[in-house]
Amino acid sequence: MDTLSFKTVSVNKATAQKEWVVVDAEGQVLGRMCTKVAKLLRGKYKPSFTPNVDCGDNVIIINADKVQMTGNKWDNRSYVHYTGFPGGQRICTPRDMMNKGADRLIRKVVKGMLPKNRLGDRLITNLFIFAGAEHNMQAQQPKQIDINTLK
């Protein structure tokens, strides 16, 4: 019997197989798309997933300005942050964030789905968001994936 086949393989930074993938956000519902993107960033779709290592893919999101939200969430949902000064609580809606930049809203939603530690801070740097259909990451030769086929 081959005993080597029964060992658990843990991925480290040197042995992680990271890929570049492109996700088209046009017509996608924001929350459902971002959960799948967070899983891609984390590496949960890979058989060699290790929870404490950055083993996920680098994700490029195009057409970020064409993302959708169901119901009245564009105006009724609110995001709260605090500046650190007295009276510095700020509230904004998803529509306000989208007007400031399409990448702000998606980055905030995906960051909320990642671990709240140093690993989460490293994982969010693997996310690249572009408002239009063009991106400047052609040198990495990313592959286009259909986000709807992932579970």
Side-chain angles (χ1 to χ4, degrees), residues 63-84:
N63 292 324
D65 54 348
K66 296 184 178 128
V67 75
Q68 296 178 349
M69 289 180 115
T70 58
N72 295 324
K73 293 180 189 141
W74 281 112
D75 298 313
N76 291 348
R77 176 161 291 173
S78 61
Y79 295 113
V80 180
H81 73 278
Y82 182 62
T83 63

Side-chain angles (χ1 to χ4, degrees), residues 61-121:
I61 298 178
I62 58 172
N63 292 324
D65 54 348
K66 296 184 178 128
V67 75
Q68 296 178 349
M69 289 180 115
T70 58
N72 295 324
K73 293 180 189 141
W74 281 112
D75 298 313
N76 291 348
R77 176 161 291 173
S78 61
Y79 295 113
V80 180
H81 73 278
Y82 182 62
T83 63
F85 291 97
Q89 185 174 355
R90 303 288 187 252
I91 299 172
C92 64
T93 64
R95 190 176 307 280
D96 296 337
M97 291 182 81
M98 191 64 100
N99 290 338
K100 290 179 184 175
D103 62 324
R104 289 188 183 205
L105 178 62
I106 294 177
R107 190 171 304 279
K108 181 168 182 66
V109 172
V110 171
K111 187 171 173 70
M113 297 177 187
L114 293 175
K116 277 66 172 180
N117 53 23
R118 288 179 298 188
L119 178 64
D121 294 339

